[in-house]
Amino acid sequence: MTNKKLHIHTALQILKPAHEVFQAIVDPAKMSNYFISEGSGPMEEGKTITWKFPEFEGRFPVRVGKVELDKYISYNWDGTDGTELLVEINLTPKGDTATVVTITEKEMDNNEAGLAWMMGNTAGWANFLACLKAYLEYGVNLRKGAFDFMKPEAQQ
């Protein structure tokens, strides 16, 4: 058996048009209502931006790849071990009022570190999608306070 690479793949339908979903993902002001605490700028092709998360110290660089209006967003960021990871977000309209958001993140080796990454980030992307859905459909920020227990001062 060969040591195949690990990929994450998850999807969820959001009851909003693709354009509205796309804007909520590329605009840091909107994204701060469900995912990040702040971003240095919109996700534009070829740009490097930074994201800050409420539960982590520091800022995380995001190198934006290809962006297709209302359809597709890709970017690279670094895993905890420094491995460059590719994230792809596909938006598939379902009629005029719903969009399936599919997220793929890749890749890590099929070993203990890779399995830990796969478990953690699969849960993270499922949470991202649930938070995006709650924000767009109901105006609710599910992430607010959800990860306060992970902050360094909460570890004491």
Side-chain angles (χ1 to χ4, degrees):
M1 183 173 162
T2 61
N3 184 12
K4 293 185 176 183
K5 297 285 186 176
L6 300 173
H7 296 192
I8 294 169
H9 182 84
T10 188
L12 188 71
Q13 182 168 289
I14 297 177
L15 301 178
K16 292 292 179 179
H19 182 72
E20 195 171 333
V21 176
F22 179 86
Q23 290 302 316
I25 295 170
V26 300
D27 180 346
K30 292 179 181 177
M31 194 182 265
S32 68
N33 289 300
Y34 69 91
F35 185 53
I36 58 175
S37 58
E38 62 183 81
S40 64
M43 296 184 80
E44 296 174 337
E45 202 164 300
K47 302 272 182 166
T48 297
I49 58 173
T50 58
W51 286 342
K52 174 143 183 41
F53 292 88
E55 68 272 17
F56 300 116
E57 291 295 318
R59 298 183 181 280
F60 298 85
V62 174
R63 297 169 297 282
V64 182
K66 188 174 181 181
V67 176
E68 291 181 48
L69 182 66
D70 302 342
K71 293 180 183 179
Y72 178 82
I73 303 154
S74 70
Y75 62 89
N76 290 283
W77 61 358
D78 298 328
T80 55
D81 68 351
T83 301
E84 185 173 71
L85 302 168
L86 171 65
V87 176
E88 296 178 291
I89 303 173
N90 285 282
L91 306 177
T92 305
K94 295 296 179 185
D96 293 333
T97 60
T99 306
V100 174
V101 181
T102 304
I103 299 175
T104 304
E105 184 176 12
K106 54 190 171 188
E107 65 189 14
M108 291 283 285
D109 288 327
N110 187 357
N111 56 27
E112 192 171 317
L115 291 172
W117 162 79
M118 188 173 193
M119 288 175 20
N121 283 27
T122 297
W125 286 120
N127 180 268
F128 170 91
L129 290 171
C131 290
L132 175 61
K133 183 176 181 70
Y135 166 65
L136 286 176
E137 292 182 17
Y138 304 101
V140 174
N141 185 344
L142 291 180
R143 195 171 176 98
K144 186 176 182 180
F147 297 101
D148 286 354
F149 70 95
M150 294 175 70
K151 291 180 180 178
E153 62 271 11
Q155 303 297 318
Q156 299 174 4

